[in-house]
Amino acid sequence: MKRYFIHTFGCQMNVNDSLRMSEALAKMSYEPTPVPDNADLIILNTCAIREKAEDKMLSALGRYRTVKASRKALIGVGGCVAQQEKDKLLKKVPYLDFVFGPDNIAKLPEIIGRVENERERVVETAFVDSEEYVFPRADAETSRGKVTEFVTVMKGCDNVCSFCVVPHTRGREVSRGFTDVLLEVADLARVGVREVTLIGQNVNSYQGGISFAQLLLRTAEVPGIERVRFTTSHPHDLSDELIEAFRTQPKICPHFHLPVQCGSDRILKMMRRDYTVVQYLERLAKLREARPGIAVTTDIIVGFPGETEEEFEMTMQLTEQVRYDNQFSFVFSPRPKTGAALRENDWGPVPHEVKVARLERLQKVQRRISGEYTAALVGSEVEVLVEGHSKYDATKRFGRTPENRTVNFEGDAQAGAIVKVLVERSTPNQLAGKQVALLQGPTVAPVEDPVEPQTCVVAEA
Ligand code: SF4
């Protein structure tokens, strides 16, 4: 059997796409290898959201050149950089065999066949921006023994945020029919999955025959499913109906990732985010009223072109005011073809050292707030869905709370069980403690540390 290795960069959508690739390769009698050195096929599934991720991909590609020379391995690049660069990548990297965009994963066997049999260098980056698009369906058997899984419900984005490359690399929004989504969820539940995360670049603008709120409610009713999550959302699609779903269905986890991007209305306008800070806070207040204690996380871009010190202070104040549980904050980096990249010089680039200094200040504030949330839980009992053993200490167990806080604990509960854990210690990002009660056992015989094709999927932000 030939062996493959997939190196994944970026978001959860990419991790999920890599799993679909691994399923397609398994059907071609490829088996996974956890190291690239003995691979016959190496795929880099790439991210273009920030310059750094793209640079990392190019440096990994350089490292795999030796595998190409010694084993004659085939090397392909998929994902957002592939979509953005198309055949330019083949010119830039002479030892690259194929390039394919996110909409062409189903064509992977055909692409590899052409490379192997016809010795062609292949580029497949056409978008399928319509009902014609066929969402790759997860093979439920691949998920046997897993506790939590991702289910793609839509792809692409119809917004035009001026900093974002996604509309250029993932195309227009296409939603997956709700019956197809629910069938996949039911299949996953049958093999023991207890938590699903519905994913899409702009997931809460879902239009697959029912509203997104309805989709969440129907997913929560699938027998065996105990927790429902989703990512990632745009504030303007946080509807009253979605807020009501949080009020009425406890299986919808009390965690909302709601990207705000910055705390200044002027910068939000330049970012082409169609809300003001006041409107954002009003939505959030409604959500918190409907589900008290809900954990709220966000994305923030620091040093957007033209951002003044005063405007950055507004982002700091917003962070203090909202008291996010956590945030993913980054310095602005211009992405090809985006409005902000084209106008950066007009608006005034923020010097790199200023951006980095602002980011450090913001992250320090966020670490303090995150630490206050987790410290407040010491001495209390939290509900944990057990995912397996702790990666820090194999004698301990690992799981997450409904609010998506990670917990390492002493106990004997099997993967798939739901337990109560007494919290004894905390850091800003983790809780630690001991199991005090078993609330529910797993729904199927657990497979501890299942050997999955995705063991070869190395993910890197
Ligand atoms: S809504 Fe999200 S994915 Fe769409 S353009 Fe804006 S930042 Fe990018």
Side-chain angles (χ1 to χ4, degrees), residues 388-422:
H389 69 68
S390 161
K391 68 178 175 193
Y392 303 110
D393 177 350
T395 65
K396 295 212 166 76
R397 314 298 293 157
F398 169 82
R400 285 170 206 272
T401 67
E403 295 80 9
N404 212 24
R405 297 194 175 100
T406 55
V407 188
N408 293 284
F409 63 96
E410 288 164 32
D412 58 4
Q414 296 172 311
I418 297 176
V419 296
K420 275 256 183 262
V421 170
L422 173 66

mmCIF file of all heavy atoms in Angstrom, residues 388-422:
data_model
loop_
_atom_site.group_PDB
_atom_site.id
_atom_site.type_symbol
_atom_site.label_atom_id
_atom_site.label_comp_id
_atom_site.label_asym_id
_atom_site.label_seq_id
_atom_site.Cartn_x
_atom_site.Cartn_y
_atom_site.Cartn_z
ATOM 1 N N GLY A 388 -10.965 11.560 26.107
ATOM 2 C CA GLY A 388 -9.877 10.561 26.117
ATOM 3 C C GLY A 388 -8.888 10.901 27.203
ATOM 4 O O GLY A 388 -9.242 11.540 28.203
ATOM 5 N N HIS A 389 -7.615 10.493 26.998
ATOM 6 C CA HIS A 389 -6.645 10.813 28.039
ATOM 7 C C HIS A 389 -6.027 12.193 27.792
ATOM 8 O O HIS A 389 -6.030 12.708 26.669
ATOM 9 C CB HIS A 389 -5.579 9.712 28.175
ATOM 10 C CG HIS A 389 -4.648 9.617 27.015
ATOM 11 N ND1 HIS A 389 -3.746 10.592 26.715
ATOM 12 C CD2 HIS A 389 -4.478 8.656 26.085
ATOM 13 C CE1 HIS A 389 -3.059 10.251 25.650
ATOM 14 N NE2 HIS A 389 -3.495 9.073 25.242
ATOM 15 N N SER A 390 -5.469 12.746 28.874
ATOM 16 C CA SER A 390 -4.857 14.066 28.781
ATOM 17 C C SER A 390 -3.577 13.978 27.959
ATOM 18 O O SER A 390 -2.807 13.029 28.105
ATOM 19 C CB SER A 390 -4.544 14.564 30.196
ATOM 20 O OG SER A 390 -3.593 15.586 30.136
ATOM 21 N N LYS A 391 -3.327 14.975 27.117
ATOM 22 C CA LYS A 391 -2.084 14.908 26.332
ATOM 23 C C LYS A 391 -0.871 15.288 27.177
ATOM 24 O O LYS A 391 0.259 15.052 26.784
ATOM 25 C CB LYS A 391 -2.174 15.739 25.054
ATOM 26 C CG LYS A 391 -2.238 17.216 25.242
ATOM 27 C CD LYS A 391 -2.276 17.904 23.883
ATOM 28 C CE LYS A 391 -2.463 19.391 24.092
ATOM 29 N NZ LYS A 391 -2.805 20.160 22.985
ATOM 30 N N TYR A 392 -1.105 15.858 28.366
ATOM 31 C CA TYR A 392 0.020 16.222 29.242
ATOM 32 C C TYR A 392 0.403 15.070 30.162
ATOM 33 O O TYR A 392 1.535 14.970 30.599
ATOM 34 C CB TYR A 392 -0.339 17.445 30.099
ATOM 35 C CG TYR A 392 -0.738 18.634 29.267
ATOM 36 C CD1 TYR A 392 -2.053 19.082 29.253
ATOM 37 C CD2 TYR A 392 0.201 19.277 28.472
ATOM 38 C CE1 TYR A 392 -2.425 20.162 28.467
ATOM 39 C CE2 TYR A 392 -0.162 20.365 27.689
ATOM 40 C CZ TYR A 392 -1.476 20.796 27.689
ATOM 41 O OH TYR A 392 -1.842 21.858 26.905
ATOM 42 N N ASP A 393 -0.575 14.237 30.493
ATOM 43 C CA ASP A 393 -0.323 13.179 31.471
ATOM 44 C C ASP A 393 -1.288 12.031 31.140
ATOM 45 O O ASP A 393 -2.505 12.154 31.369
ATOM 46 C CB ASP A 393 -0.577 13.745 32.881
ATOM 47 C CG ASP A 393 -0.410 12.686 33.953
ATOM 48 O OD1 ASP A 393 -0.282 11.497 33.604
ATOM 49 O OD2 ASP A 393 -0.416 13.065 35.136
ATOM 50 N N ALA A 394 -0.740 10.946 30.609
ATOM 51 C CA ALA A 394 -1.588 9.850 30.120
ATOM 52 C C ALA A 394 -2.387 9.182 31.239
ATOM 53 O O ALA A 394 -3.337 8.440 30.968
ATOM 54 C CB ALA A 394 -0.727 8.821 29.390
ATOM 55 N N THR A 395 -2.043 9.440 32.514
ATOM 56 C CA THR A 395 -2.827 8.835 33.602
ATOM 57 C C THR A 395 -4.082 9.656 33.900
ATOM 58 O O THR A 395 -4.937 9.255 34.673
ATOM 59 C CB THR A 395 -1.991 8.740 34.908
ATOM 60 O OG1 THR A 395 -1.700 10.073 35.353
ATOM 61 C CG2 THR A 395 -0.691 7.974 34.679
ATOM 62 N N LYS A 396 -4.155 10.828 33.309
ATOM 63 C CA LYS A 396 -5.321 11.699 33.570
ATOM 64 C C LYS A 396 -6.277 11.694 32.371
ATOM 65 O O LYS A 396 -5.905 11.300 31.272
ATOM 66 C CB LYS A 396 -4.850 13.125 33.852
ATOM 67 C CG LYS A 396 -4.022 13.245 35.127
ATOM 68 C CD LYS A 396 -4.232 14.588 35.766
ATOM 69 C CE LYS A 396 -3.696 14.611 37.175
ATOM 70 N NZ LYS A 396 -2.253 14.712 37.238
ATOM 71 N N ARG A 397 -7.490 12.150 32.598
ATOM 72 C CA ARG A 397 -8.517 12.204 31.559
ATOM 73 C C ARG A 397 -8.650 13.646 31.054
ATOM 74 O O ARG A 397 -8.257 14.601 31.748
ATOM 75 C CB ARG A 397 -9.879 11.720 32.099
ATOM 76 C CG ARG A 397 -9.811 10.453 32.900
ATOM 77 C CD ARG A 397 -9.299 9.301 32.064
ATOM 78 N NE ARG A 397 -10.228 8.934 31.018
ATOM 79 C CZ ARG A 397 -9.861 8.282 29.896
ATOM 80 N NH1 ARG A 397 -8.592 7.969 29.696
ATOM 81 N NH2 ARG A 397 -10.749 7.944 28.994
ATOM 82 N N PHE A 398 -9.231 13.756 29.872
ATOM 83 C CA PHE A 398 -9.371 15.085 29.256
ATOM 84 C C PHE A 398 -10.786 15.243 28.693
ATOM 85 O O PHE A 398 -11.357 14.294 28.161
ATOM 86 C CB PHE A 398 -8.360 15.243 28.115
ATOM 87 C CG PHE A 398 -8.610 16.460 27.260
ATOM 88 C CD1 PHE A 398 -8.160 17.704 27.669
ATOM 89 C CD2 PHE A 398 -9.325 16.367 26.072
ATOM 90 C CE1 PHE A 398 -8.421 18.838 26.907
ATOM 91 C CE2 PHE A 398 -9.592 17.494 25.297
ATOM 92 C CZ PHE A 398 -9.122 18.726 25.717
ATOM 93 N N GLY A 399 -11.322 16.442 28.819
ATOM 94 C CA GLY A 399 -12.628 16.721 28.205
ATOM 95 C C GLY A 399 -12.888 18.212 28.199
ATOM 96 O O GLY A 399 -11.989 19.021 28.481
ATOM 97 N N ARG A 400 -14.115 18.567 27.850
ATOM 98 C CA ARG A 400 -14.484 19.993 27.783
ATOM 99 C C ARG A 400 -15.802 20.238 28.509
ATOM 100 O O ARG A 400 -16.678 19.364 28.531
ATOM 101 C CB ARG A 400 -14.691 20.420 26.326
ATOM 102 C CG ARG A 400 -13.416 20.581 25.572
ATOM 103 C CD ARG A 400 -13.715 20.765 24.084
ATOM 104 N NE ARG A 400 -12.579 20.306 23.323
ATOM 105 C CZ ARG A 400 -11.552 21.076 23.015
ATOM 106 N NH1 ARG A 400 -11.532 22.343 23.371
ATOM 107 N NH2 ARG A 400 -10.543 20.588 22.343
ATOM 108 N N THR A 401 -15.941 21.444 29.022
ATOM 109 C CA THR A 401 -17.213 21.853 29.620
ATOM 110 C C THR A 401 -18.127 22.316 28.483
ATOM 111 O O THR A 401 -17.661 22.568 27.359
ATOM 112 C CB THR A 401 -17.007 23.030 30.592
ATOM 113 O OG1 THR A 401 -16.617 24.175 29.820
ATOM 114 C CG2 THR A 401 -15.952 22.714 31.641
ATOM 115 N N PRO A 402 -19.419 22.502 28.748
ATOM 116 C CA PRO A 402 -20.302 23.036 27.699
ATOM 117 C C PRO A 402 -19.818 24.389 27.177
ATOM 118 O O PRO A 402 -20.035 24.727 26.027
ATOM 119 C CB PRO A 402 -21.661 23.159 28.409
ATOM 120 C CG PRO A 402 -21.597 22.154 29.512
ATOM 121 C CD PRO A 402 -20.162 22.138 29.972
ATOM 122 N N GLU A 403 -19.133 25.154 28.042
ATOM 123 C CA GLU A 403 -18.643 26.485 27.615
ATOM 124 C C GLU A 403 -17.366 26.373 26.797
ATOM 125 O O GLU A 403 -16.755 27.373 26.436
ATOM 126 C CB GLU A 403 -18.373 27.371 28.838
ATOM 127 C CG GLU A 403 -19.602 27.725 29.650
ATOM 128 C CD GLU A 403 -20.035 26.601 30.606
ATOM 129 O OE1 GLU A 403 -19.266 25.617 30.748
ATOM 130 O OE2 GLU A 403 -21.129 26.691 31.183
ATOM 131 N N ASN A 404 -16.931 25.147 26.530
ATOM 132 C CA ASN A 404 -15.743 24.846 25.723
ATOM 133 C C ASN A 404 -14.435 25.087 26.479
ATOM 134 O O ASN A 404 -13.389 25.321 25.872
ATOM 135 C CB ASN A 404 -15.747 25.651 24.412
ATOM 136 C CG ASN A 404 -15.079 24.868 23.293
ATOM 137 O OD1 ASN A 404 -15.023 23.635 23.333
ATOM 138 N ND2 ASN A 404 -14.549 25.564 22.309
ATOM 139 N N ARG A 405 -14.477 25.017 27.804
ATOM 140 C CA ARG A 405 -13.236 25.113 28.581
ATOM 141 C C ARG A 405 -12.629 23.721 28.675
ATOM 142 O O ARG A 405 -13.336 22.733 28.925
ATOM 143 C CB ARG A 405 -13.514 25.653 29.983
ATOM 144 C CG ARG A 405 -14.070 27.059 29.946
ATOM 145 C CD ARG A 405 -14.039 27.727 31.309
ATOM 146 N NE ARG A 405 -14.485 29.099 31.166
ATOM 147 C CZ ARG A 405 -15.708 29.524 31.465
ATOM 148 N NH1 ARG A 405 -16.604 28.698 31.959
ATOM 149 N NH2 ARG A 405 -16.034 30.782 31.281
ATOM 150 N N THR A 406 -11.321 23.652 28.503
ATOM 151 C CA THR A 406 -10.664 22.342 28.544
ATOM 152 C C THR A 406 -10.365 21.962 29.992
ATOM 153 O O THR A 406 -10.004 22.816 30.812
ATOM 154 C CB THR A 406 -9.364 22.340 27.725
ATOM 155 O OG1 THR A 406 -8.531 23.390 28.202
ATOM 156 C CG2 THR A 406 -9.631 22.570 26.257
ATOM 157 N N VAL A 407 -10.523 20.661 30.285
ATOM 158 C CA VAL A 407 -10.360 20.173 31.659
ATOM 159 C C VAL A 407 -9.505 18.903 31.640
ATOM 160 O O VAL A 407 -9.806 17.946 30.918
ATOM 161 C CB VAL A 407 -11.731 19.822 32.292
ATOM 162 C CG1 VAL A 407 -11.561 19.501 33.782
ATOM 163 C CG2 VAL A 407 -12.737 20.949 32.114
ATOM 164 N N ASN A 408 -8.427 18.897 32.408
ATOM 165 C CA ASN A 408 -7.639 17.686 32.643
ATOM 166 C C ASN A 408 -7.960 17.233 34.060
ATOM 167 O O ASN A 408 -7.923 18.054 34.992
ATOM 168 C CB ASN A 408 -6.144 17.986 32.505
ATOM 169 C CG ASN A 408 -5.794 18.337 31.071
ATOM 170 O OD1 ASN A 408 -5.718 17.477 30.205
ATOM 171 N ND2 ASN A 408 -5.613 19.627 30.797
ATOM 172 N N PHE A 409 -8.256 15.957 34.242
ATOM 173 C CA PHE A 409 -8.702 15.556 35.581
ATOM 174 C C PHE A 409 -8.345 14.111 35.915
ATOM 175 O O PHE A 409 -8.133 13.278 35.027
ATOM 176 C CB PHE A 409 -10.219 15.768 35.711
ATOM 177 C CG PHE A 409 -11.048 14.937 34.769
ATOM 178 C CD1 PHE A 409 -11.608 13.726 35.181
ATOM 179 C CD2 PHE A 409 -11.277 15.353 33.467
ATOM 180 C CE1 PHE A 409 -12.374 12.966 34.316
ATOM 181 C CE2 PHE A 409 -12.036 14.596 32.593
ATOM 182 C CZ PHE A 409 -12.590 13.403 33.019
ATOM 183 N N GLU A 410 -8.292 13.854 37.221
ATOM 184 C CA GLU A 410 -8.096 12.485 37.690
ATOM 185 C C GLU A 410 -9.443 11.788 37.646
ATOM 186 O O GLU A 410 -10.439 12.351 38.116
ATOM 187 C CB GLU A 410 -7.599 12.481 39.140
ATOM 188 C CG GLU A 410 -6.173 12.940 39.298
ATOM 189 C CD GLU A 410 -5.876 13.289 40.752
ATOM 190 O OE1 GLU A 410 -6.465 12.667 41.654
ATOM 191 O OE2 GLU A 410 -5.071 14.209 40.947
ATOM 192 N N GLY A 411 -9.460 10.569 37.111
ATOM 193 C CA GLY A 411 -10.732 9.854 37.032
ATOM 194 C C GLY A 411 -10.589 8.641 36.144
ATOM 195 O O GLY A 411 -9.499 8.368 35.612
ATOM 196 N N ASP A 412 -11.704 7.912 35.996
ATOM 197 C CA ASP A 412 -11.631 6.687 35.204
ATOM 198 C C ASP A 412 -12.716 6.633 34.132
ATOM 199 O O ASP A 412 -12.973 5.591 33.553
ATOM 200 C CB ASP A 412 -11.744 5.459 36.127
ATOM 201 C CG ASP A 412 -13.051 5.505 36.923
ATOM 202 O OD1 ASP A 412 -13.855 6.431 36.688
ATOM 203 O OD2 ASP A 412 -13.254 4.600 37.750
ATOM 204 N N ALA A 413 -13.381 7.767 33.879
ATOM 205 C CA ALA A 413 -14.486 7.742 32.914
ATOM 206 C C ALA A 413 -13.965 7.492 31.507
ATOM 207 O O ALA A 413 -12.902 7.977 31.117
ATOM 208 C CB ALA A 413 -15.231 9.069 32.958
ATOM 209 N N GLN A 414 -14.779 6.709 30.778
ATOM 210 C CA GLN A 414 -14.377 6.371 29.412
ATOM 211 C C GLN A 414 -14.715 7.514 28.450
ATOM 212 O O GLN A 414 -15.594 8.338 28.738
ATOM 213 C CB GLN A 414 -15.124 5.114 28.977
ATOM 214 C CG GLN A 414 -14.745 3.896 29.801
ATOM 215 C CD GLN A 414 -15.638 2.724 29.469
ATOM 216 O OE1 GLN A 414 -16.852 2.849 29.436
ATOM 217 N NE2 GLN A 414 -15.022 1.590 29.208
ATOM 218 N N ALA A 415 -14.028 7.496 27.322
ATOM 219 C CA ALA A 415 -14.321 8.488 26.281
ATOM 220 C C ALA A 415 -15.791 8.361 25.891
ATOM 221 O O ALA A 415 -16.290 7.257 25.686
ATOM 222 C CB ALA A 415 -13.424 8.253 25.078
ATOM 223 N N GLY A 416 -16.478 9.490 25.810
ATOM 224 C CA GLY A 416 -17.908 9.474 25.463
ATOM 225 C C GLY A 416 -18.799 9.609 26.687
ATOM 226 O O GLY A 416 -20.003 9.833 26.550
ATOM 227 N N ALA A 417 -18.223 9.462 27.884
ATOM 228 C CA ALA A 417 -19.023 9.615 29.102
ATOM 229 C C ALA A 417 -19.152 11.107 29.446
ATOM 230 O O ALA A 417 -18.337 11.927 29.019
ATOM 231 C CB ALA A 417 -18.356 8.874 30.256
ATOM 232 N N ILE A 418 -20.177 11.416 30.237
ATOM 233 C CA ILE A 418 -20.321 12.780 30.766
ATOM 234 C C ILE A 418 -20.199 12.688 32.281
ATOM 235 O O ILE A 418 -20.881 11.866 32.919
ATOM 236 C CB ILE A 418 -21.671 13.393 30.348
ATOM 237 C CG1 ILE A 418 -21.722 13.503 28.811
ATOM 238 C CG2 ILE A 418 -21.855 14.777 30.981
ATOM 239 C CD1 ILE A 418 -23.028 14.014 28.243
ATOM 240 N N VAL A 419 -19.278 13.485 32.845
ATOM 241 C CA VAL A 419 -18.985 13.380 34.277
ATOM 242 C C VAL A 419 -19.043 14.753 34.937
ATOM 243 O O VAL A 419 -19.014 15.792 34.262
ATOM 244 C CB VAL A 419 -17.566 12.774 34.517
ATOM 245 C CG1 VAL A 419 -17.483 11.359 34.002
ATOM 246 C CG2 VAL A 419 -16.479 13.642 33.890
ATOM 247 N N LYS A 420 -19.101 14.708 36.260
ATOM 248 C CA LYS A 420 -18.923 15.946 37.039
ATOM 249 C C LYS A 420 -17.488 15.964 37.531
ATOM 250 O O LYS A 420 -16.976 14.954 38.026
ATOM 251 C CB LYS A 420 -19.841 15.934 38.264
ATOM 252 C CG LYS A 420 -21.229 16.426 37.966
ATOM 253 C CD LYS A 420 -21.422 17.844 38.506
ATOM 254 C CE LYS A 420 -22.828 18.329 38.290
ATOM 255 N NZ LYS A 420 -23.151 19.127 37.251
ATOM 256 N N VAL A 421 -16.831 17.107 37.385
ATOM 257 C CA VAL A 421 -15.446 17.250 37.839
ATOM 258 C C VAL A 421 -15.388 18.397 38.855
ATOM 259 O O VAL A 421 -15.941 19.478 38.611
ATOM 260 C CB VAL A 421 -14.507 17.533 36.642
ATOM 261 C CG1 VAL A 421 -13.114 17.921 37.119
ATOM 262 C CG2 VAL A 421 -14.426 16.321 35.715
ATOM 263 N N LEU A 422 -14.744 18.120 39.992
ATOM 264 C CA LEU A 422 -14.498 19.180 40.970
ATOM 265 C C LEU A 422 -13.235 19.923 40.527
ATOM 266 O O LEU A 422 -12.160 19.322 40.386
ATOM 267 C CB LEU A 422 -14.292 18.570 42.366
ATOM 268 C CG LEU A 422 -13.847 19.563 43.452
ATOM 269 C CD1 LEU A 422 -14.938 20.592 43.739
ATOM 270 C CD2 LEU A 422 -13.466 18.822 44.736
#
